[in-house]
Amino acid sequence: MTIRMASKRRAVALAATGASLALVLTACADTNDGGGGDGGGGGEATQATIDCAAFDEFGDLDGTEVSVYTTIVEPEAETQTASYKPFEDCTGVTINYEGSREMEAQLPVRVQAGNPPDIAILPQPGLLQTLVNDYDAVLPAPEQVEANVDEGWAPEWKEYGTVDGTFYAAPLGSNVKSYVWYSPSMFADAGYEVPTTWDELTELTATIAEGNEGATRPWCAGIESGDATGWPGTDWIEDVVLRTAGPDVYDQWYTHEIPFNDPQIVDAFDTAGEILKNPDYVNGGLGGVDSIATATWTDAGYPILDGNCWMHRAANFYQTQWPEGTEVGPDGDVYAFYLPAQTADEKPTLVAGEFIGAFTDRPEVQAFQTYLSSADWANAKAQATPAGGWVSANNGLDPDLLATDFDRLSAEILADPATVARFDASDLMPAAVGTDSFWSGMVDWFASDQSSQEVTDQIESSWPSN
């Protein structure tokens, strides 16, 4: 996989208000709403065995404690804390875990009050940059962490954890967002093949639409997500920009080297709109085009289960959103295929992930940072997640330990040399755009039927002047 950052990175400043900071959470890491299908896994969690000698250099840590602050809440918190057990058993360190959906809003407050956690799991690089540039709060990663990242991760992932040439934060989990969910049995019964190019995807969409009956449509979509409403729509646009304009333009776009309303971006909106704003193509089982603005992202794929919808674009973590009992697999109730590019040889891919930032450098904190950055932790996390829904781009991760065929598919995409990945652009843009006007613009695009030009003009006007 190749992830290339733009040569000219912009420091991303999050909005100062608690509300806007909180909004970022759901776009990047909220995999917690909804019921949670069985994911095709469903086995028992097992505890990994690790080499405790890796922590000898940190001295006697028995009886010490490390605090962790994160956006990862139940049910994922259970598997997250279970993955810490091998480290706790090795060292005698107690990990005090605190998960909160308000973490992004509260973390800067706690930093300013002089009460930061020992470690924070940061759901996007923008928050890391803010904590470094605005608060001088995050400590550079210790040499053991940097060595683990150099060994286990592509250099581009390390760059996301680097600010102004200093490496601060090791990557943790990884998300693959360029997926289309569908029913394998519906496709098989209708004689449809999974499309491998964008043209094949649009041809399939038209073919399905010709047979529409009642509320059935080729696609279903929803971008309602509480205070973060709009973010699933930004993912759609980002994926299409990668396919119609290409990764280089994508980099110029999120760094504002070209304006948000550049003709290439307007064209990407229009291309997405050929599907999402066509009443013959959406919104299967949910209503008209405008219903996309109000349909909850957690439930928007459900019409596939009752035959009212054929395809739903959503990230790998949508695996955990399916109702309990839904079988996710190549022969299951639902599965997903890669959102095709212009040709079958191209594989632009939208990705996201979390990063580990430390605010203290006590030996037990550095030891835990070292564990989280290692292949040992990635494999322990895989073993602690029997229902699936988690993957990492750490090349030391053993794919056989992943719980589901779908998780292994995500791991294959992340490891594929043909994959050209780009981090979620809205996570990299200034908060006034990435978690504000871009989100609200998507609502206006659907609910008020504003044109692509009108929406992109509005978003461009909101871009901070410095």
Side-chain angles (χ1 to χ4, degrees):
M1 177 184 66
T2 299
I3 304 177
R4 187 165 65 79
M5 297 289 291
S7 58
K8 179 182 177 184
R9 293 289 309 275
R10 291 180 63 89
V12 180
L14 293 185
T17 64
S20 58
L21 284 166
L23 299 181
V24 183
L25 162 63
T26 307
C28 307
D30 187 349
T31 64
N32 305 310
D33 293 334
D38 63 16
E44 294 295 326
T46 58
Q47 182 172 321
T49 301
I50 64 174
D51 182 3
C52 298
F55 310 109
D56 287 348
E57 64 179 299
F58 297 100
D60 182 5
L61 305 178
D62 190 30
T64 60
E65 299 182 5
V66 175
S67 61
V68 176
Y69 195 27
T70 174
T71 60
I72 301 172
V73 297
E74 295 295 346
E76 281 78 6
E78 182 177 349
T79 62
Q80 192 72 17
T81 54
S83 71
Y84 302 161
K85 192 69 166 49
F87 172 81
E88 293 178 305
D89 288 349
C90 273
T91 61
V93 175
T94 297
I95 305 300
N96 297 315
Y97 186 92
E98 180 182 2
S100 169
R101 294 179 185 276
E102 303 300 323
M103 184 274 264
E104 287 182 272
Q106 291 303 313
L107 182 57
V109 175
R110 288 173 57 165
V111 167
Q112 288 182 295
N115 184 36
D118 294 320
I119 285 176
I121 299 177
L122 308 173
Q124 33 90 2
L127 181 55
L128 170 65
Q129 295 196 19
T130 297
L131 292 169
V132 171
N133 292 328
D134 294 0
Y135 301 100
D136 191 23
V138 183
L139 298 177
E143 61 182 19
Q144 297 91 340
V145 171
E146 187 161 10
N148 280 344
V149 173
D150 287 341
E151 178 181 356
W153 292 80
E156 294 80 5
W157 280 98
K158 181 181 178 183
E159 192 172 348
Y160 285 119
T162 300
V163 181
D164 295 334
T166 300
F167 175 58
Y168 291 93
L172 195 67
S174 311
N175 289 319
V176 178
K177 293 195 163 188
S178 302
Y179 277 123
V180 177
W181 291 89
Y182 73 110
S183 164
S185 63
M186 286 174 64
F187 268 49
D189 291 345
Y192 297 149
E193 299 286 338
V194 168
T196 59
T197 67
W198 189 265
D199 284 346
E200 289 180 4
L201 180 70
T202 56
E203 290 170 8
L204 175 63
T205 298
T207 299
I208 294 173
E210 290 174 0
N212 280 344
E213 293 182 359
T216 302
R217 295 290 185 275
W219 292 85
C220 43
I223 64 170
E224 197 283 328
S225 185
D227 290 341
T229 293
W231 72 262
T234 69
D235 280 3
W236 246 107
I237 297 301
E238 289 158 3
D239 249 337
V240 175
V241 170
L242 279 173
R243 283 154 180 76
T244 60
D248 289 343
V249 171
Y250 184 92
D251 294 338
Q252 295 164 5
W253 176 49
Y254 84 75
T255 59
H256 210 220
E257 292 179 35
I258 61 174
F260 195 100
N261 57 350
D262 183 273
Q264 298 167 100
I265 307 306
V266 176
D267 180 66
F269 269 76
D270 285 341
T271 300
E274 290 173 3
I275 292 175
L276 294 173
K277 300 190 78 171
N278 186 331
D280 291 332
Y281 292 175
V282 295
N283 195 16
L286 297 171
V289 170
D290 58 347
S291 71
I292 294 175
T294 55
T296 59
W297 80 272
T298 53
D299 300 352
Y302 291 4
I304 292 176
L305 299 175
D306 56 25
N308 282 325
C309 170
W310 288 77
M311 294 179 284
H312 174 63
R313 186 220 157 276
N316 63 316
F317 51 75
Y318 200 79
Q319 178 180 195
T320 64
Q321 303 301 323
W322 293 104
E324 185 174 357
T326 304
E327 183 180 353
V328 178
D331 300 315
D333 300 312
V334 292
Y335 202 51
F337 60 81
Y338 167 76
L339 178 67
Q342 300 296 331
T343 72
D345 295 331
E346 301 171 89
K347 194 167 282 186
T349 303
L350 194 65
V351 299
E354 312 95 20
F355 297 83
I356 302 299
F359 300 87
T360 56
D361 59 0
R362 302 192 311 277
E364 59 270 26
V365 176
Q366 294 198 345
F368 189 50
Q369 279 181 276
T370 301
Y371 173 61
L372 292 177
S373 64
S374 70
D376 279 347
W377 176 80
N379 288 316
K381 172 63 175 168
Q383 290 178 263
T385 313
W390 178 87
V391 71
S392 170
N394 189 320
N395 62 32
L397 172 65
D398 180 356
D400 290 339
L401 295 176
L402 295 171
T404 71
D405 289 334
F406 181 64
D407 289 339
R408 285 184 283 277
L409 174 62
S410 296
E412 289 174 9
I413 290 175
L414 288 168
D416 189 340
T419 294
V420 178
R422 288 294 186 273
F423 210 89
D424 187 315
S426 61
D427 288 347
L428 299 169
M429 293 174 178
V433 178
T435 59
D436 195 338
S437 62
F438 197 0
W439 289 357
S440 60
M442 297 309 303
V443 174
D444 293 339
W445 198 51
F446 291 116
S448 302
D449 195 27
Q450 290 191 358
S451 70
S452 301
Q453 190 68 60
E454 290 173 320
V455 169
T456 55
D457 286 350
Q458 289 178 6
I459 298 172
E460 170 59 23
S461 69
S462 72
W463 200 285
S465 57
N466 53 44

